[in-house]
Amino acid sequence: MTRVEPAGALVGHIGVPGDKSISHRAVLIGALADGETRVRGFGVSADTASTVAAVRALGVQVDDEDDGDLVVHGVGLRGLQTPSGPIDAGNAGTLLRLLTGILAGQPGRYELTGDESLRTRPMDRVAEPLTRMGAKIATDNGLPPVHIDGSDALKGIDYTLPMASAQVKSAILLAGLNADRATTVIEPARTRDHTELMLEAAGARVRRRPSSVTVEPAARLRLDEVVVPGDFSAAAPFIVAATLLAGSELTIHDIGLNPRRTGLLDVLERMGSRISIFNRRKAGGEPIGDLEVHSAELTATDIAPEEVPLLVDELPLFALAAALARGDSHVTGAGELRVKESDRIESVTNGLRTVGIRIRERDDGFDVRGVPTRPTSGLIPSGGDHRIAMLAAVAGLVSRDGVEVGGSEAVSISFPGFFQLLDSVSRR
């Protein structure tokens, strides 16, 4: 448990760890490539360590360089080896789902499992399309562990996602690399496109349209280098805290600004935030830039279902921002939050209520009554969910008397050193 005391402002210049989503994909796609892939700025966390361990278990050499880079020695599209036992994905849902797609096109038998939280995450949404493609996927009543009988004769399919999910989309596309014809995924709403961008960089033939993406079977991939930008989701707690604390002037450097990840910026902008972007550039198709955040008074807004995939990881932080805005805010179409590392709708509403915030849970979202005064003190348990732990920390900064963060160690899943960095820019 960690106690976070109130802050007067956030001031200074910071960087955050490399993007977790891109780091996962760099290791996984690098493992399928021919030759070496150098990963610069790899986001070190418990989740990404699980991905490195997983590909090593599949016979891929991964070197940790002295300069902090990783070098992945790819074994080719069908070169993975059958491991000696189950592969433990830890808490990493991205790893579990993407690796299921990869192994569906690898001859052999595989078992994927994870920690107690991960074993509650639904896998039928991945198993069903992969089974259509010709793989044999077995789950425990729709939950992990996942047993995969991979096939070297997968069939390309056209598949419409029942709900927007970058992880499910990516699993199907990765399986499609080893299929007999093109594979197309149709999305009900736009989701993160890191997989498509990286596959293109590796030489795969990818066709992207406004509501679908198609991948052609590949003979080989080559991914010489991946430059990993700072993780926008890791920057988000600092963005929200600096916006809410009067007098804040915070600069966050080298952040990934993929528009399918930065919905929070759009939402905060219409609420009245003062956030500037400068030093824009691109690396491997991914936009990068620096953010300058100044404090601002916010007004309420609503988040519609089509916006949810663009800020799904930041919705807990939005709830806190909405609580300190003027007016009532509403989130709808966010039922996916119930099957994250925790039931985040329940965790957010119960946690924020303990510090006096007026928030009401609904099946697919929540309603927040905004009152622009600091919340009270209290205890917010993380429930082992890193996003809730970071939400609780920001609640502590903007509170009147401080907040106890229960299970604060959960932040190491995505952001080791989070509390130290937060303290370094907090002015009291």
Side-chain angles (χ1 to χ4, degrees), residues 149-173:
D149 284 329
S151 170
D152 57 3
L154 292 183
K155 299 174 293 185
I157 61 171
D158 295 343
Y159 187 77
T160 300
L161 293 174
M163 64 178 65
S165 169
Q167 293 178 359
V168 178
K169 173 182 67 173
S170 296
I172 298 168
L173 295 176

mmCIF file with all atom_site columns, all heavy atoms in Angstrom, residues 149-173:
data_model
loop_
_atom_site.group_PDB
_atom_site.id
_atom_site.type_symbol
_atom_site.label_atom_id
_atom_site.label_alt_id
_atom_site.label_comp_id
_atom_site.label_asym_id
_atom_site.label_entity_id
_atom_site.label_seq_id
_atom_site.pdbx_PDB_ins_code
_atom_site.Cartn_x
_atom_site.Cartn_y
_atom_site.Cartn_z
_atom_site.occupancy
_atom_site.B_iso_or_equiv
_atom_site.pdbx_formal_charge
_atom_site.auth_seq_id
_atom_site.auth_comp_id
_atom_site.auth_asym_id
_atom_site.auth_atom_id
_atom_site.pdbx_PDB_model_num
ATOM 1   N N   . ASP A 1 149 ? -3.887  -26.580 -31.247 1.00 0.00 ? 149 ASP A N   1
ATOM 2   C CA  . ASP A 1 149 ? -3.308  -27.485 -32.233 1.00 0.00 ? 149 ASP A CA  1
ATOM 3   C C   . ASP A 1 149 ? -3.149  -26.675 -33.502 1.00 0.00 ? 149 ASP A C   1
ATOM 4   O O   . ASP A 1 149 ? -4.112  -26.462 -34.258 1.00 0.00 ? 149 ASP A O   1
ATOM 5   C CB  . ASP A 1 149 ? -4.225  -28.691 -32.482 1.00 0.00 ? 149 ASP A CB  1
ATOM 6   C CG  . ASP A 1 149 ? -4.171  -29.697 -31.350 1.00 0.00 ? 149 ASP A CG  1
ATOM 7   O OD1 . ASP A 1 149 ? -3.096  -29.814 -30.728 1.00 0.00 ? 149 ASP A OD1 1
ATOM 8   O OD2 . ASP A 1 149 ? -5.182  -30.352 -31.074 1.00 0.00 ? 149 ASP A OD2 1
ATOM 9   N N   . GLY A 1 150 ? -1.926  -26.205 -33.739 1.00 0.00 ? 150 GLY A N   1
ATOM 10  C CA  . GLY A 1 150 ? -1.679  -25.337 -34.879 1.00 0.00 ? 150 GLY A CA  1
ATOM 11  C C   . GLY A 1 150 ? -1.719  -26.093 -36.194 1.00 0.00 ? 150 GLY A C   1
ATOM 12  O O   . GLY A 1 150 ? -1.561  -27.313 -36.236 1.00 0.00 ? 150 GLY A O   1
ATOM 13  N N   . SER A 1 151 ? -1.939  -25.350 -37.266 1.00 0.00 ? 151 SER A N   1
ATOM 14  C CA  . SER A 1 151 ? -2.052  -25.955 -38.594 1.00 0.00 ? 151 SER A CA  1
ATOM 15  C C   . SER A 1 151 ? -1.198  -25.181 -39.588 1.00 0.00 ? 151 SER A C   1
ATOM 16  O O   . SER A 1 151 ? -1.140  -23.950 -39.531 1.00 0.00 ? 151 SER A O   1
ATOM 17  C CB  . SER A 1 151 ? -3.514  -25.951 -39.047 1.00 0.00 ? 151 SER A CB  1
ATOM 18  O OG  . SER A 1 151 ? -3.624  -26.317 -40.407 1.00 0.00 ? 151 SER A OG  1
ATOM 19  N N   . ASP A 1 152 ? -0.563  -25.898 -40.506 1.00 0.00 ? 152 ASP A N   1
ATOM 20  C CA  . ASP A 1 152 ? 0.164   -25.233 -41.582 1.00 0.00 ? 152 ASP A CA  1
ATOM 21  C C   . ASP A 1 152 ? -0.705  -25.113 -42.829 1.00 0.00 ? 152 ASP A C   1
ATOM 22  O O   . ASP A 1 152 ? -0.216  -24.882 -43.936 1.00 0.00 ? 152 ASP A O   1
ATOM 23  C CB  . ASP A 1 152 ? 1.476   -25.951 -41.898 1.00 0.00 ? 152 ASP A CB  1
ATOM 24  C CG  . ASP A 1 152 ? 1.276   -27.416 -42.279 1.00 0.00 ? 152 ASP A CG  1
ATOM 25  O OD1 . ASP A 1 152 ? 0.112   -27.863 -42.348 1.00 0.00 ? 152 ASP A OD1 1
ATOM 26  O OD2 . ASP A 1 152 ? 2.277   -28.110 -42.499 1.00 0.00 ? 152 ASP A OD2 1
ATOM 27  N N   . ALA A 1 153 ? -2.018  -25.290 -42.654 1.00 0.00 ? 153 ALA A N   1
ATOM 28  C CA  . ALA A 1 153 ? -2.959  -25.193 -43.777 1.00 0.00 ? 153 ALA A CA  1
ATOM 29  C C   . ALA A 1 153 ? -4.158  -24.323 -43.376 1.00 0.00 ? 153 ALA A C   1
ATOM 30  O O   . ALA A 1 153 ? -5.317  -24.681 -43.604 1.00 0.00 ? 153 ALA A O   1
ATOM 31  C CB  . ALA A 1 153 ? -3.427  -26.576 -44.207 1.00 0.00 ? 153 ALA A CB  1
ATOM 32  N N   . LEU A 1 154 ? -3.891  -23.174 -42.761 1.00 0.00 ? 154 LEU A N   1
ATOM 33  C CA  . LEU A 1 154 ? -4.976  -22.275 -42.390 1.00 0.00 ? 154 LEU A CA  1
ATOM 34  C C   . LEU A 1 154 ? -5.655  -21.699 -43.636 1.00 0.00 ? 154 LEU A C   1
ATOM 35  O O   . LEU A 1 154 ? -5.021  -21.503 -44.674 1.00 0.00 ? 154 LEU A O   1
ATOM 36  C CB  . LEU A 1 154 ? -4.448  -21.130 -41.530 1.00 0.00 ? 154 LEU A CB  1
ATOM 37  C CG  . LEU A 1 154 ? -3.943  -21.463 -40.123 1.00 0.00 ? 154 LEU A CG  1
ATOM 38  C CD1 . LEU A 1 154 ? -3.529  -20.178 -39.413 1.00 0.00 ? 154 LEU A CD1 1
ATOM 39  C CD2 . LEU A 1 154 ? -4.989  -22.208 -39.320 1.00 0.00 ? 154 LEU A CD2 1
ATOM 40  N N   . LYS A 1 155 ? -6.933  -21.389 -43.487 1.00 0.00 ? 155 LYS A N   1
ATOM 41  C CA  . LYS A 1 155 ? -7.703  -20.789 -44.560 1.00 0.00 ? 155 LYS A CA  1
ATOM 42  C C   . LYS A 1 155 ? -7.900  -19.305 -44.271 1.00 0.00 ? 155 LYS A C   1
ATOM 43  O O   . LYS A 1 155 ? -8.252  -18.920 -43.154 1.00 0.00 ? 155 LYS A O   1
ATOM 44  C CB  . LYS A 1 155 ? -9.082  -21.464 -44.667 1.00 0.00 ? 155 LYS A CB  1
ATOM 45  C CG  . LYS A 1 155 ? -9.038  -22.950 -44.988 1.00 0.00 ? 155 LYS A CG  1
ATOM 46  C CD  . LYS A 1 155 ? -10.425 -23.555 -44.934 1.00 0.00 ? 155 LYS A CD  1
ATOM 47  C CE  . LYS A 1 155 ? -10.968 -23.548 -43.498 1.00 0.00 ? 155 LYS A CE  1
ATOM 48  N NZ  . LYS A 1 155 ? -12.285 -24.245 -43.393 1.00 0.00 ? 155 LYS A NZ  1
ATOM 49  N N   . GLY A 1 156 ? -7.689  -18.480 -45.288 1.00 0.00 ? 156 GLY A N   1
ATOM 50  C CA  . GLY A 1 156 ? -7.991  -17.066 -45.139 1.00 0.00 ? 156 GLY A CA  1
ATOM 51  C C   . GLY A 1 156 ? -9.494  -16.861 -45.046 1.00 0.00 ? 156 GLY A C   1
ATOM 52  O O   . GLY A 1 156 ? -10.274 -17.576 -45.683 1.00 0.00 ? 156 GLY A O   1
ATOM 53  N N   . ILE A 1 157 ? -9.921  -15.904 -44.214 1.00 0.00 ? 157 ILE A N   1
ATOM 54  C CA  . ILE A 1 157 ? -11.352 -15.661 -44.032 1.00 0.00 ? 157 ILE A CA  1
ATOM 55  C C   . ILE A 1 157 ? -11.640 -14.168 -44.077 1.00 0.00 ? 157 ILE A C   1
ATOM 56  O O   . ILE A 1 157 ? -10.733 -13.340 -43.943 1.00 0.00 ? 157 ILE A O   1
ATOM 57  C CB  . ILE A 1 157 ? -11.872 -16.230 -42.687 1.00 0.00 ? 157 ILE A CB  1
ATOM 58  C CG1 . ILE A 1 157 ? -11.160 -15.554 -41.490 1.00 0.00 ? 157 ILE A CG1 1
ATOM 59  C CG2 . ILE A 1 157 ? -11.729 -17.748 -42.634 1.00 0.00 ? 157 ILE A CG2 1
ATOM 60  C CD1 . ILE A 1 157 ? -11.756 -15.905 -40.134 1.00 0.00 ? 157 ILE A CD1 1
ATOM 61  N N   . ASP A 1 158 ? -12.911 -13.838 -44.276 1.00 0.00 ? 158 ASP A N   1
ATOM 62  C CA  . ASP A 1 158 ? -13.417 -12.487 -44.051 1.00 0.00 ? 158 ASP A CA  1
ATOM 63  C C   . ASP A 1 158 ? -14.214 -12.545 -42.756 1.00 0.00 ? 158 ASP A C   1
ATOM 64  O O   . ASP A 1 158 ? -15.162 -13.334 -42.634 1.00 0.00 ? 158 ASP A O   1
ATOM 65  C CB  . ASP A 1 158 ? -14.314 -12.041 -45.201 1.00 0.00 ? 158 ASP A CB  1
ATOM 66  C CG  . ASP A 1 158 ? -13.553 -11.915 -46.513 1.00 0.00 ? 158 ASP A CG  1
ATOM 67  O OD1 . ASP A 1 158 ? -12.318 -11.861 -46.479 1.00 0.00 ? 158 ASP A OD1 1
ATOM 68  O OD2 . ASP A 1 158 ? -14.208 -11.883 -47.571 1.00 0.00 ? 158 ASP A OD2 1
ATOM 69  N N   . TYR A 1 159 ? -13.840 -11.724 -41.790 1.00 0.00 ? 159 TYR A N   1
ATOM 70  C CA  . TYR A 1 159 ? -14.438 -11.842 -40.458 1.00 0.00 ? 159 TYR A CA  1
ATOM 71  C C   . TYR A 1 159 ? -14.849 -10.476 -39.947 1.00 0.00 ? 159 TYR A C   1
ATOM 72  O O   . TYR A 1 159 ? -14.052 -9.528  -39.934 1.00 0.00 ? 159 TYR A O   1
ATOM 73  C CB  . TYR A 1 159 ? -13.447 -12.478 -39.480 1.00 0.00 ? 159 TYR A CB  1
ATOM 74  C CG  . TYR A 1 159 ? -14.045 -12.784 -38.129 1.00 0.00 ? 159 TYR A CG  1
ATOM 75  C CD1 . TYR A 1 159 ? -14.872 -13.886 -37.952 1.00 0.00 ? 159 TYR A CD1 1
ATOM 76  C CD2 . TYR A 1 159 ? -13.790 -11.966 -37.034 1.00 0.00 ? 159 TYR A CD2 1
ATOM 77  C CE1 . TYR A 1 159 ? -15.429 -14.174 -36.716 1.00 0.00 ? 159 TYR A CE1 1
ATOM 78  C CE2 . TYR A 1 159 ? -14.346 -12.250 -35.791 1.00 0.00 ? 159 TYR A CE2 1
ATOM 79  C CZ  . TYR A 1 159 ? -15.158 -13.355 -35.644 1.00 0.00 ? 159 TYR A CZ  1
ATOM 80  O OH  . TYR A 1 159 ? -15.718 -13.630 -34.421 1.00 0.00 ? 159 TYR A OH  1
ATOM 81  N N   . THR A 1 160 ? -16.099 -10.376 -39.506 1.00 0.00 ? 160 THR A N   1
ATOM 82  C CA  . THR A 1 160 ? -16.598 -9.149  -38.899 1.00 0.00 ? 160 THR A CA  1
ATOM 83  C C   . THR A 1 160 ? -16.546 -9.282  -37.386 1.00 0.00 ? 160 THR A C   1
ATOM 84  O O   . THR A 1 160 ? -17.150 -10.186 -36.807 1.00 0.00 ? 160 THR A O   1
ATOM 85  C CB  . THR A 1 160 ? -18.056 -8.881  -39.331 1.00 0.00 ? 160 THR A CB  1
ATOM 86  O OG1 . THR A 1 160 ? -18.092 -8.744  -40.761 1.00 0.00 ? 160 THR A OG1 1
ATOM 87  C CG2 . THR A 1 160 ? -18.573 -7.600  -38.695 1.00 0.00 ? 160 THR A CG2 1
ATOM 88  N N   . LEU A 1 161 ? -15.807 -8.402  -36.734 1.00 0.00 ? 161 LEU A N   1
ATOM 89  C CA  . LEU A 1 161 ? -15.695 -8.448  -35.279 1.00 0.00 ? 161 LEU A CA  1
ATOM 90  C C   . LEU A 1 161 ? -17.040 -8.142  -34.634 1.00 0.00 ? 161 LEU A C   1
ATOM 91  O O   . LEU A 1 161 ? -17.671 -7.126  -34.959 1.00 0.00 ? 161 LEU A O   1
ATOM 92  C CB  . LEU A 1 161 ? -14.668 -7.424  -34.795 1.00 0.00 ? 161 LEU A CB  1
ATOM 93  C CG  . LEU A 1 161 ? -13.200 -7.646  -35.173 1.00 0.00 ? 161 LEU A CG  1
ATOM 94  C CD1 . LEU A 1 161 ? -12.367 -6.457  -34.718 1.00 0.00 ? 161 LEU A CD1 1
ATOM 95  C CD2 . LEU A 1 161 ? -12.658 -8.924  -34.566 1.00 0.00 ? 161 LEU A CD2 1
ATOM 96  N N   . PRO A 1 162 ? -17.498 -8.975  -33.691 1.00 0.00 ? 162 PRO A N   1
ATOM 97  C CA  . PRO A 1 162 ? -18.749 -8.659  -32.979 1.00 0.00 ? 162 PRO A CA  1
ATOM 98  C C   . PRO A 1 162 ? -18.632 -7.397  -32.144 1.00 0.00 ? 162 PRO A C   1
ATOM 99  O O   . PRO A 1 162 ? -19.610 -6.681  -31.945 1.00 0.00 ? 162 PRO A O   1
ATOM 100 C CB  . PRO A 1 162 ? -18.977 -9.893  -32.094 1.00 0.00 ? 162 PRO A CB  1
ATOM 101 C CG  . PRO A 1 162 ? -18.124 -10.966 -32.676 1.00 0.00 ? 162 PRO A CG  1
ATOM 102 C CD  . PRO A 1 162 ? -16.963 -10.278 -33.303 1.00 0.00 ? 162 PRO A CD  1
ATOM 103 N N   . MET A 1 163 ? -17.429 -7.128  -31.634 1.00 0.00 ? 163 MET A N   1
ATOM 104 C CA  . MET A 1 163 ? -17.161 -5.888  -30.901 1.00 0.00 ? 163 MET A CA  1
ATOM 105 C C   . MET A 1 163 ? -15.751 -5.438  -31.234 1.00 0.00 ? 163 MET A C   1
ATOM 106 O O   . MET A 1 163 ? -14.892 -6.248  -31.579 1.00 0.00 ? 163 MET A O   1
ATOM 107 C CB  . MET A 1 163 ? -17.310 -6.089  -29.384 1.00 0.00 ? 163 MET A CB  1
ATOM 108 C CG  . MET A 1 163 ? -16.331 -7.041  -28.775 1.00 0.00 ? 163 MET A CG  1
ATOM 109 S SD  . MET A 1 163 ? -16.537 -7.167  -26.979 1.00 0.00 ? 163 MET A SD  1
ATOM 110 C CE  . MET A 1 163 ? -18.173 -7.880  -26.863 1.00 0.00 ? 163 MET A CE  1
ATOM 111 N N   . ALA A 1 164 ? -15.530 -4.139  -31.161 1.00 0.00 ? 164 ALA A N   1
ATOM 112 C CA  . ALA A 1 164 ? -14.225 -3.594  -31.523 1.00 0.00 ? 164 ALA A CA  1
ATOM 113 C C   . ALA A 1 164 ? -13.162 -4.093  -30.558 1.00 0.00 ? 164 ALA A C   1
ATOM 114 O O   . ALA A 1 164 ? -13.308 -3.961  -29.341 1.00 0.00 ? 164 ALA A O   1
ATOM 115 C CB  . ALA A 1 164 ? -14.280 -2.070  -31.508 1.00 0.00 ? 164 ALA A CB  1
ATOM 116 N N   . SER A 1 165 ? -12.098 -4.684  -31.088 1.00 0.00 ? 165 SER A N   1
ATOM 117 C CA  . SER A 1 165 ? -11.004 -5.192  -30.256 1.00 0.00 ? 165 SER A CA  1
ATOM 118 C C   . SER A 1 165 ? -9.739  -5.272  -31.092 1.00 0.00 ? 165 SER A C   1
ATOM 119 O O   . SER A 1 165 ? -9.660  -6.062  -32.034 1.00 0.00 ? 165 SER A O   1
ATOM 120 C CB  . SER A 1 165 ? -11.336 -6.574  -29.685 1.00 0.00 ? 165 SER A CB  1
ATOM 121 O OG  . SER A 1 165 ? -10.183 -7.159  -29.087 1.00 0.00 ? 165 SER A OG  1
ATOM 122 N N   . ALA A 1 166 ? -8.742  -4.464  -30.734 1.00 0.00 ? 166 ALA A N   1
ATOM 123 C CA  . ALA A 1 166 ? -7.463  -4.518  -31.441 1.00 0.00 ? 166 ALA A CA  1
ATOM 124 C C   . ALA A 1 166 ? -6.761  -5.853  -31.224 1.00 0.00 ? 166 ALA A C   1
ATOM 125 O O   . ALA A 1 166 ? -6.066  -6.346  -32.111 1.00 0.00 ? 166 ALA A O   1
ATOM 126 C CB  . ALA A 1 166 ? -6.569  -3.366  -30.977 1.00 0.00 ? 166 ALA A CB  1
ATOM 127 N N   . GLN A 1 167 ? -6.944  -6.434  -30.040 1.00 0.00 ? 167 GLN A N   1
ATOM 128 C CA  . GLN A 1 167 ? -6.275  -7.706  -29.763 1.00 0.00 ? 167 GLN A CA  1
ATOM 129 C C   . GLN A 1 167 ? -6.833  -8.833  -30.618 1.00 0.00 ? 167 GLN A C   1
ATOM 130 O O   . GLN A 1 167 ? -6.081  -9.643  -31.173 1.00 0.00 ? 167 GLN A O   1
ATOM 131 C CB  . GLN A 1 167 ? -6.397  -8.044  -28.277 1.00 0.00 ? 167 GLN A CB  1
ATOM 132 C CG  . GLN A 1 167 ? -5.629  -7.103  -27.370 1.00 0.00 ? 167 GLN A CG  1
ATOM 133 C CD  . GLN A 1 167 ? -5.806  -7.428  -25.900 1.00 0.00 ? 167 GLN A CD  1
ATOM 134 O OE1 . GLN A 1 167 ? -6.523  -8.353  -25.535 1.00 0.00 ? 167 GLN A OE1 1
ATOM 135 N NE2 . GLN A 1 167 ? -5.159  -6.672  -25.035 1.00 0.00 ? 167 GLN A NE2 1
ATOM 136 N N   . VAL A 1 168 ? -8.158  -8.899  -30.737 1.00 0.00 ? 168 VAL A N   1
ATOM 137 C CA  . VAL A 1 168 ? -8.765  -9.949  -31.563 1.00 0.00 ? 168 VAL A CA  1
ATOM 138 C C   . VAL A 1 168 ? -8.415  -9.720  -33.026 1.00 0.00 ? 168 VAL A C   1
ATOM 139 O O   . VAL A 1 168 ? -8.060  -10.658 -33.750 1.00 0.00 ? 168 VAL A O   1
ATOM 140 C CB  . VAL A 1 168 ? -10.287 -9.994  -31.351 1.00 0.00 ? 168 VAL A CB  1
ATOM 141 C CG1 . VAL A 1 168 ? -10.917 -11.054 -32.253 1.00 0.00 ? 168 VAL A CG1 1
ATOM 142 C CG2 . VAL A 1 168 ? -10.610 -10.287 -29.885 1.00 0.00 ? 168 VAL A CG2 1
ATOM 143 N N   . LYS A 1 169 ? -8.517  -8.482  -33.474 1.00 0.00 ? 169 LYS A N   1
ATOM 144 C CA  . LYS A 1 169 ? -8.134  -8.157  -34.856 1.00 0.00 ? 169 LYS A CA  1
ATOM 145 C C   . LYS A 1 169 ? -6.700  -8.601  -35.129 1.00 0.00 ? 169 LYS A C   1
ATOM 146 O O   . LYS A 1 169 ? -6.413  -9.250  -36.154 1.00 0.00 ? 169 LYS A O   1
ATOM 147 C CB  . LYS A 1 169 ? -8.262  -6.650  -35.087 1.00 0.00 ? 169 LYS A CB  1
ATOM 148 C CG  . LYS A 1 169 ? -7.733  -6.182  -36.437 1.00 0.00 ? 169 LYS A CG  1
ATOM 149 C CD  . LYS A 1 169 ? -7.834  -4.676  -36.597 1.00 0.00 ? 169 LYS A CD  1
ATOM 150 C CE  . LYS A 1 169 ? -6.927  -3.913  -35.661 1.00 0.00 ? 169 LYS A CE  1
ATOM 151 N NZ  . LYS A 1 169 ? -6.925  -2.457  -35.942 1.00 0.00 ? 169 LYS A NZ  1
ATOM 152 N N   . SER A 1 170 ? -5.788  -8.287  -34.218 1.00 0.00 ? 170 SER A N   1
ATOM 153 C CA  . SER A 1 170 ? -4.384  -8.617  -34.412 1.00 0.00 ? 170 SER A CA  1
ATOM 154 C C   . SER A 1 170 ? -4.150  -10.117 -34.448 1.00 0.00 ? 170 SER A C   1
ATOM 155 O O   . SER A 1 170 ? -3.345  -10.615 -35.249 1.00 0.00 ? 170 SER A O   1
ATOM 156 C CB  . SER A 1 170 ? -3.543  -7.984  -33.304 1.00 0.00 ? 170 SER A CB  1
ATOM 157 O OG  . SER A 1 170 ? -3.612  -6.572  -33.360 1.00 0.00 ? 170 SER A OG  1
ATOM 158 N N   . ALA A 1 171 ? -4.843  -10.863 -33.575 1.00 0.00 ? 171 ALA A N   1
ATOM 159 C CA  . ALA A 1 171 ? -4.687  -12.314 -33.565 1.00 0.00 ? 171 ALA A CA  1
ATOM 160 C C   . ALA A 1 171 ? -5.070  -12.907 -34.914 1.00 0.00 ? 171 ALA A C   1
ATOM 161 O O   . ALA A 1 171 ? -4.380  -13.791 -35.452 1.00 0.00 ? 171 ALA A O   1
ATOM 162 C CB  . ALA A 1 171 ? -5.544  -12.923 -32.460 1.00 0.00 ? 171 ALA A CB  1
ATOM 163 N N   . ILE A 1 172 ? -6.165  -12.431 -35.506 1.00 0.00 ? 172 ILE A N   1
ATOM 164 C CA  . ILE A 1 172 ? -6.611  -12.947 -36.801 1.00 0.00 ? 172 ILE A CA  1
ATOM 165 C C   . ILE A 1 172 ? -5.623  -12.568 -37.899 1.00 0.00 ? 172 ILE A C   1
ATOM 166 O O   . ILE A 1 172 ? -5.273  -13.396 -38.758 1.00 0.00 ? 172 ILE A O   1
ATOM 167 C CB  . ILE A 1 172 ? -8.021  -12.410 -37.113 1.00 0.00 ? 172 ILE A CB  1
ATOM 168 C CG1 . ILE A 1 172 ? -9.024  -12.888 -36.061 1.00 0.00 ? 172 ILE A CG1 1
ATOM 169 C CG2 . ILE A 1 172 ? -8.476  -12.861 -38.505 1.00 0.00 ? 172 ILE A CG2 1
ATOM 170 C CD1 . ILE A 1 172 ? -10.362 -12.174 -36.115 1.00 0.00 ? 172 ILE A CD1 1
ATOM 171 N N   . LEU A 1 173 ? -5.143  -11.330 -37.900 1.00 0.00 ? 173 LEU A N   1
ATOM 172 C CA  . LEU A 1 173 ? -4.190  -10.901 -38.922 1.00 0.00 ? 173 LEU A CA  1
ATOM 173 C C   . LEU A 1 173 ? -2.886  -11.677 -38.841 1.00 0.00 ? 173 LEU A C   1
ATOM 174 O O   . LEU A 1 173 ? -2.307  -12.061 -39.867 1.00 0.00 ? 173 LEU A O   1
ATOM 175 C CB  . LEU A 1 173 ? -3.923  -9.399  -38.786 1.00 0.00 ? 173 LEU A CB  1
ATOM 176 C CG  . LEU A 1 173 ? -5.105  -8.470  -39.050 1.00 0.00 ? 173 LEU A CG  1
ATOM 177 C CD1 . LEU A 1 173 ? -4.703  -7.023  -38.784 1.00 0.00 ? 173 LEU A CD1 1
ATOM 178 C CD2 . LEU A 1 173 ? -5.623  -8.627  -40.479 1.00 0.00 ? 173 LEU A CD2 1
#
